[in-house]
């Protein structure tokens, strides 16, 4: 089992400091399944490659009684591809050999651990149930360029088709710790035959390795289930914890205190943007005289408690595509302990907003608070159809970030979106263009407003649109 990792960051030999492994010396690391060798096939200023080669002891693997093979039939214990294919065994070796790198610690090059580096990874024989396509689905959303080539079962007999092995090459610019953590999770997930007993501390290991990327990965459910070897109770635990991660992340930049605020002025700290935004949405709903309201893409319930807190909202429906988000919403709202009269006003519905859903038709108002930017732009017409043409509520309130304002957040000054799952963020002109098009196509009028301080140069942090059905635009006399 072989993995190589190269960089062209100069001086490339810094890789040795980041991995805590001297390029001039081959080293061995003992793991329960054999010996892992770490060595550098090339180490110049311009390019440096580290290789991790795991020499599996197949007899030891079977005798260890913990091997997945031990659960199979007896011949299978001795005749299989375990020793050759990169798999969970290699992940264990990787975890042990590059432990400090995974944690992002380097005594000699502390400044480099946080820097994205140009990296290339090669796994010449990666065991991959789901083939090249799954390898692409795993790595592409993480920012890698993926080249996955299926290996034939036998080169002499191409008609036998492909094996479950792929030759995988990844290129990308990212922090070394992230790259190693991606691989640490990917190897067992793609292999899908975890060789050791999965216990609850695996949940912690997964969440630690997945920090910063797993919560927003489109295949997080598959990854979690496979990593935890299909033990449903553990996967449920992990997914619930990931959902919480999502929530706190969502507000990272919303609540940022402006940098020009003196350090000793917390007493009149500005109202967090999330609160201002919810307040603006509620005000728009009240002004529209809405009583029956659907919160589309309600997430884990940022708006639902406020809606339930106002008796004039007689019926409240929270809708989200994510069952996990709805579970967290139900828990946060203490649905099980909620007084019957309040409980009767609330319904939670799992539904995708890109498909028409008859259950969402006929309401007074619909809210899309910080939702549209989570959809791929080419799915927006489907959302438009489902919300404005099919559900067709009297009022629709939409909020979305104003990307022009991002320069006011120090962490975003150099670019980037406010949340990792955002597929786009609009300027004021772009949002207005979309909103006016939607209104014209579906017989609504639209009013555009800002939420938060209206910066003279870059406008307010949040944009809000109120669509009203069937109001004929005022025509100037
Ligand atoms: N409205 C909440 C949550 C915003 S996060 C708030 O303001 O805090 C965006 C939410 O949209 C997520 O919960 C996500 O699961 C949901 N979402 C994204 N795409 C969706 C789709 N196609 N259908 C339904 N919900 C979707």
């Amino acid at each position: 089992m072989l993995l190589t990792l190269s960089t062209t960051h100069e001086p490339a030999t810094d890789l040795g400091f980041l991995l805590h492994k001297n390029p001039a010396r081959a080293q061995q690391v003992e793991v329960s399944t054999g010996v892992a060798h770490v060595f550098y096939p090339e180490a110049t200023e311009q390019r440096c490659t580290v290789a991790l080669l795991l020499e599996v002891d197949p007899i030891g693997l079977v005798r260890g009684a913990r091997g997945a093979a031990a659960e199979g039939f007896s011949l299978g214990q001795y005749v299989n591809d375990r020793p050759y294919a990169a798999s969970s065994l290699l992940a264990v070796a990787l975890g042990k050999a590059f432990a400090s790198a995974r944690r992002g610690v380097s005594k000699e090059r502390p400044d480099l651990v946080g820097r994205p580096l140009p990296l290339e990874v090669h796994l010449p024989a990666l065991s991959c149930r789901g083939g090249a396509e799954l390898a692409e689905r795993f790595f592409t959303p993480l920012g890698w360029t993926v080249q996955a080539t299926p290996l034939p079962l036998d080169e002499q007999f191409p008609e036998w088709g492909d094996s479950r092995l792929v030759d995988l090459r990844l290129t990308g610019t990212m922090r070394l710790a992230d790259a190693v953590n991606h691989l640490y999770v990917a190897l067992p997930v793609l292999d899908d035959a975890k060789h050791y007993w999965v216990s609850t501390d695996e949940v912690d290991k997964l969440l630690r390795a997945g920090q910063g990327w797993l919560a927003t990965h489109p295949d997080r459910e598959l990854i979690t289930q496979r990593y935890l070897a299909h033990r449903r109770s553990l996967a449920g635990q992990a997914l619930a914890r990931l959902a919480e991660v999502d929530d706190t992340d969502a507000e990272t930049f919303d609540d940022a205190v402006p940098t020009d605020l003196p350090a000793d002025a917390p007493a009149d700290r500005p109202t967090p943007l999330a609160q201002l935004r919810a307040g603006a949405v509620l005000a728009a709903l009240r002004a529209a005289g809405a009583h029956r309201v659907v919160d589309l893409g309600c997430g884990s319930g940022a708006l639902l408690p406020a809606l339930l807190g106002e008796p004039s909202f007689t019926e409240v429906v929270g809708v989200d595509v994510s069952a996990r988000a709805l579970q967290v919403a139900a828990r946060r709202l203490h649905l099980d302990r909620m007084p019957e009269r309040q409980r009767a006003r609330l319904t939670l519905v799992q539904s995708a907003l890109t498909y028409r859903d008859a259950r969402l038709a006929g309401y007074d108002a619909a809210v899309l608070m910080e939702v549209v930017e989570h959809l791929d732009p080419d799915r927006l017409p489907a959302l438009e159809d489902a919300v404005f043409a099919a559900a067709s509520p009297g009022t629709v309130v939409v909020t979305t970030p104003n990307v022009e304002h991002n320069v006011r957040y120090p962490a975003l000054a150099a670019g980037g979106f406010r949340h990792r799952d955002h597929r786009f963020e609009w300027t004021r002109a772009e949002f207005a263009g979309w909103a006016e098009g939607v209104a014209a196509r579906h017989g609504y009028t639209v009013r555009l407003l800002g939420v938060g301080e209206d910066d003279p140069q870059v406008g307010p942090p949040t944009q809000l649109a109120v669509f009203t059905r069937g109001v004929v635009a005022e025509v100037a006399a």
Side-chain angles (χ1 to χ4, degrees):
M1 277 188 240
L2 176 69
L3 175 156
T4 62
L5 190 150
S6 313
T7 186
T8 48
H9 156 85
E10 290 191 24
T13 42
D14 273 352
L15 187 63
F17 289 116
L18 290 175
L19 293 170
H20 291 234
K21 295 281 177 288
N22 184 343
R25 210 153 48 82
Q27 293 180 51
Q28 275 85 45
V29 181
E30 293 273 340
V31 286
S32 62
T33 53
V35 183
H37 302 269
V38 180
F39 57 96
Y40 289 76
E42 60 183 333
T44 66
E45 294 276 295
Q46 290 74 39
R47 190 180 163 86
C48 183
T49 297
V50 68
L52 177 72
L53 176 77
L54 176 65
E55 225 180 331
V56 175
D57 168 10
I59 306 295
L61 192 60
V62 175
R63 295 236 175 89
R66 289 169 153 218
E71 291 152 24
F73 71 108
S74 58
L75 184 62
Q77 294 177 357
Y78 294 93
V79 186
N80 63 35
D81 65 358
R82 300 278 84 193
Y84 311 108
S87 72
S88 51
L89 304 181
L90 188 57
V92 174
L94 181 83
K96 191 160 178 193
F98 300 150
S100 323
R102 281 184 56 212
R103 286 202 310 275
V105 178
S106 169
K107 260 203 304 266
E108 287 87 356
R109 294 287 183 277
D111 51 312
L112 212 55
V113 294
R115 286 229 321 255
L117 306 175
L119 299 173
E120 294 166 31
V121 174
H122 185 202
L123 286 144
L126 169 72
S127 167
C128 195
R129 196 164 77 90
E133 190 220 347
L134 190 66
E136 274 164 25
R137 263 171 56 192
F138 188 104
F139 287 105
T140 308
L142 300 175
W144 292 100
T145 302
V146 182
Q147 199 189 327
T149 317
L151 299 178
L153 210 47
D154 190 318
E155 275 173 8
Q156 314 235 318
F157 301 96
E159 63 276 18
W160 288 1
D162 290 332
S163 67
R164 60 181 275 177
L165 301 182
V166 298
D167 177 298
L168 181 72
R169 286 178 189 276
L170 305 173
T171 38
T173 301
M174 62 190 74
R175 297 186 324 145
L176 182 69
D178 292 333
V180 178
N181 279 318
H182 295 164
L183 292 166
Y184 180 78
V185 175
L187 291 168
V189 163
L190 297 176
D191 184 23
D192 203 23
K194 217 164 171 190
H195 69 283
Y196 53 89
W197 181 243
V198 174
S199 62
T200 36
D201 63 332
E202 291 296 310
V203 176
D204 294 328
K205 280 190 203 163
L206 173 65
L207 295 182
R208 228 176 295 135
Q211 217 167 38
W213 60 270
L214 183 56
T216 51
H217 195 292
D219 276 312
R220 59 190 168 249
E221 306 211 354
L222 174 102
I223 294 170
T224 306
Q225 271 150 13
R226 280 194 174 195
Y227 187 92
L228 296 170
H230 299 280
R231 298 250 328 253
R232 237 200 255 146
S233 61
L234 292 184
Q237 240 182 61
L239 288 168
R241 284 169 58 185
L242 275 180
E244 309 251 1
V245 173
D246 258 347
D247 294 335
T248 42
D249 276 6
E251 289 171 9
T252 312
F253 296 107
D254 285 358
D255 292 336
V257 182
T259 43
D260 53 357
L261 202 70
D264 58 351
D268 50 8
R269 196 188 148 167
T271 314
L273 181 59
Q275 212 172 312
L276 290 177
R277 188 164 50 222
V281 170
L282 289 170
L285 294 172
R286 280 184 218 119
H291 299 297
R292 303 173 61 241
V293 178
V294 274
D295 184 7
L296 303 172
C298 62
S300 49
L303 194 65
L304 297 174
L307 289 169
L308 286 173
E310 290 194 27
S312 65
F313 299 122
T314 53
E315 213 181 301
V316 175
V317 183
V319 182
D320 206 284
V321 73
S322 157
R324 290 177 303 115
L326 293 174
Q327 271 166 16
V328 176
R331 208 175 60 223
R332 284 198 175 160
L333 287 162
H334 301 294
L335 269 201
D336 47 339
R337 284 183 268 141
M338 193 180 272
E340 189 47 41
R341 280 191 51 196
Q342 204 177 37
R343 174 75 191 85
R345 287 163 53 216
L346 174 71
T347 318
L348 296 178
V349 176
Q350 188 183 8
S351 182
L353 300 173
T354 42
Y355 295 90
R356 292 180 169 221
D357 186 336
R359 293 173 296 178
L360 308 182
Y363 283 85
D364 297 337
V367 176
L368 284 160
M369 184 166 89
E370 305 297 285
V371 173
V372 291
E373 65 277 7
H374 288 264
L375 271 79
D376 286 323
D378 64 354
R379 303 298 291 149
L380 286 177
L383 170 123
E384 178 184 329
D385 176 72
V387 175
F388 290 88
S392 188
T395 301
V396 183
V397 183
V398 180
T399 76
T400 194
N402 164 20
V403 72
E404 295 164 77
H405 197 92
N406 287 4
V407 294
R408 294 288 180 259
Y409 298 117
L412 297 182
F417 292 149
R418 296 191 202 178
H419 188 268
R420 278 187 302 273
D421 189 46
H422 285 180
R423 309 301 158 92
F424 61 87
E425 286 177 355
W426 274 327
T427 61
R428 285 169 288 177
E430 285 166 335
F431 183 50
W434 176 79
E436 280 154 13
V438 168
R441 286 188 285 276
H442 300 282
Y444 283 76
T445 51
V446 64
R447 203 154 47 96
L448 295 163
L449 304 160
V451 180
E453 200 184 334
D454 195 357
D455 185 293
Q457 268 109 45
V458 295
T462 295
Q463 335 194 43
L464 185 146
V466 185
F467 296 83
T468 310
R469 195 185 54 210
V471 178
V472 180
E474 286 167 33
V475 181

